[in-house]
Amino acid sequence: MKLAIDLGGTNIRIAQVEDGRCLNKVSVPCLAQADSSMVLGQLFQLIERVMNGRIDGIGIGVPSVVDPGKGIVYNVANISSWKEVHLKTILEDRFKVQVAINNDSNCFTLGEKKFGAGQAYVNMVGVTIGTGIGAGVIVNHHLYGGEYVGAGEIGALPYLDSDYEHYCSSFFFKRYGTTGEIEAKKAKEGVKESLELWREFGIHMGNLLKVILFTYSPQAIVLGGGIVSAFSLFEETMRDVIKGFPYNVISDKVEVITSHLKDASLLGASALFEE
């Protein structure tokens, strides 16, 4: 049995994982603005809450770049005090079990590959669309992270007057002084302005997926994250843009699908030991 942790700037989620099932899940707001030791203390308390003698490893997904061998996390997004934390050593010394750490989007993608929509594919990309945007890459059935598991940071690529993250995540709706949740509700009620906003969002998403096709040429792209609940509102314009990809032998065959796997990130964190 493994312990899986999804460490985010908003919430910390933890669960026992056995045979592809998440047991005894706990989610608490992260003390993201506190100093480093307080965030670590919160993490210790959560682990102690669900730890037992059957657990032989702790897998963790973090929104940052990581030295996976040494288990050092750097510049964690939204947890400003975590500039360089030797998390693997800290946790192994305290809990006496093996610890594996990787980027949170990589954990989502690995979860989809092992347990969800990505099982049928040799090469795939997972994309998380929510507060920000992230991606993980599977090559020949295995997670490809590059140096410091930094591969797949497509949201940081320049786009228009900013970058893709500011057009393909909740940042897009902040530009208009609103949220995706509000605009999804209004769009489903037929509000024209909201429907147009989602159509524009789909255009930006289509351009982002074209970048993924140019860069990785995967068999499938699996979309996850909170904004995917509104997929029907932006799917059409997104797919229209993809049709403009210059190599239709690639764009016609790629499968763009949404995640239906609950707790993909936790399941992926538990599977890091297999990688």
Side-chain angles (χ1 to χ4, degrees):
M1 177 184 284
K2 298 294 188 287
L3 207 59
I5 300 170
D6 183 16
L7 177 62
T10 303
N11 296 300
I12 304 176
R13 299 191 304 137
I14 187 168
Q16 299 166 347
V17 178
E18 187 172 38
D19 299 327
R21 295 177 298 128
C22 288
L23 311 172
N24 299 316
K25 283 188 297 182
V26 179
S27 179
V28 299
C30 179
L31 299 175
Q33 303 309 311
D35 63 37
S36 179
S37 61
M38 285 190 69
V39 179
L40 274 173
Q42 183 184 33
L43 189 57
F44 294 160
Q45 289 178 0
L46 275 174
I47 293 172
E48 288 162 359
R49 188 169 166 182
V50 293
M51 193 74 176
N52 65 40
R54 296 181 58 212
I55 290 168
D56 60 5
I58 301 173
I60 307 175
V62 292
S64 67
V65 291
V66 178
D67 180 331
K70 296 178 180 178
I72 305 171
V73 301
Y74 299 93
N75 305 107
V76 178
N78 301 317
I79 305 178
S80 58
S81 64
W82 278 30
K83 301 297 184 186
E84 181 179 324
V85 179
H86 294 238
L87 191 58
K88 177 181 171 72
T89 299
I90 291 168
L91 294 180
E92 288 185 343
D93 287 349
R94 187 179 182 96
F95 295 103
K96 311 304 180 187
V97 296
Q98 186 181 3
V99 174
I101 306 171
N102 210 298
N103 174 267
D104 56 351
S105 294
N106 287 349
C107 288
F108 163 80
T109 302
L110 185 59
E112 287 294 336
K113 171 59 184 170
K114 296 288 187 181
F115 304 101
Q119 292 180 74
Y121 304 105
V122 176
N123 303 305
M124 59 163 281
V125 173
V127 181
T128 54
I129 315 167
T131 305
I133 193 158
V137 183
I138 297 290
V139 176
N140 292 330
H141 294 295
H142 291 285
L143 194 62
Y144 174 73
E147 293 299 302
Y148 295 94
V149 299
E153 292 295 335
I154 54 176
L157 293 173
Y159 179 62
L160 300 179
D161 63 345
S162 183
D163 56 29
Y164 278 99
E165 183 161 78
H166 283 80
Y167 283 90
C168 300
S169 71
S170 63
F171 284 107
F172 171 76
F173 298 96
K174 287 180 182 178
R175 284 175 168 263
Y176 293 91
T178 185
T179 68
E181 185 177 5
I182 289 171
E183 295 307 316
K185 183 178 179 182
K186 289 164 64 177
K188 289 171 183 177
E189 292 171 352
V191 177
K192 182 179 178 182
E193 291 79 9
S194 299
L195 288 166
E196 285 302 314
L197 202 59
W198 279 106
R199 288 179 63 81
E200 182 186 343
F201 182 82
I203 290 170
H204 301 311
M205 278 300 305
N207 285 325
L208 178 65
L209 297 196
K210 283 168 69 176
V211 168
I212 292 174
L213 296 184
F214 275 121
T215 309
Y216 300 110
S217 190
Q219 294 169 292
I221 301 171
V222 181
L223 306 180
I227 288 180
V228 170
S229 61
F231 186 62
S232 63
L233 297 173
F234 66 87
E235 178 182 12
E236 182 179 357
T237 50
M238 180 195 76
R239 293 192 185 278
D240 284 345
V241 171
I242 294 172
K243 289 176 184 176
F245 190 73
Y247 309 115
N248 66 321
V249 68
I250 294 174
S251 57
D252 288 352
K253 291 184 178 180
V254 67
E255 299 281 348
V256 180
I257 50 184
T258 57
S259 169
H260 297 286
L261 180 64
K262 195 174 182 181
D263 301 318
S265 295
L266 288 171
L267 291 170
S270 76
L272 288 172
F273 299 92
E274 300 171 30
E275 291 289 304

